[in-house]
């Protein structure tokens, strides 16, 4: 048996490494993209739920709610 790799199989090792590296990069990119889509959907759903909650409470727009007033609430001074 000859260990001479000067023929057609000479670039096989490098070729397998390149294909493996490309497959690794492709799987990594796919995982990052899917994670991005999941996070984007979660943030969008969270914003929609917050908007619905604000609308249910009767708060318009955004920002902070006015401080509560009436009996039992101190003025802070």
């Amino acid at each position: 048996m000859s260990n001479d790799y000067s023929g057609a199989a000479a670039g096989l090792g490098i070729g397998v490494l390149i294909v493996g590296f490309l497959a690794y990069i492709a799987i990594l990119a796919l995982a990052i993209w899917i994670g991005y889509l999941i996070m984007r959907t979660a943030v969008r759903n969270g914003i929609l739920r917050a908007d619905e909650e604000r609308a249910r409470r009767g708060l318009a727009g955004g920002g902070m709610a006015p401080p509560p007033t009436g009996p039992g609430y101190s003025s802070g001074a």
Side-chain angles (χ1 to χ4, degrees), residues 8-24:
L12 187 60
I14 299 296
V16 168
L17 286 176
I18 291 173
V19 169
F21 180 72
L22 291 177
Y24 172 75

Side-chain angles (χ1 to χ4, degrees), residues 2-16:
S2 174
N3 287 332
D4 183 23
Y5 289 108
S6 62
L12 187 60
I14 299 296
V16 168

Side-chain angles (χ1 to χ4, degrees), residues 2-77:
S2 174
N3 287 332
D4 183 23
Y5 289 108
S6 62
L12 187 60
I14 299 296
V16 168
L17 286 176
I18 291 173
V19 169
F21 180 72
L22 291 177
Y24 172 75
I25 295 296
I27 291 171
L28 187 64
L30 183 65
I32 291 172
W33 182 59
I34 289 173
Y36 163 75
L37 291 178
I38 290 171
M39 289 295 186
R40 186 182 71 176
T41 302
V43 168
R44 181 180 297 152
N45 288 339
I47 290 171
L48 290 175
R49 280 191 186 171
D51 287 345
E52 289 172 0
E53 182 67 20
R54 248 193 316 266
R56 189 180 66 78
R57 291 183 181 184
L59 301 176
M64 295 179 58
T69 57
Y73 292 104
S74 67
S75 63

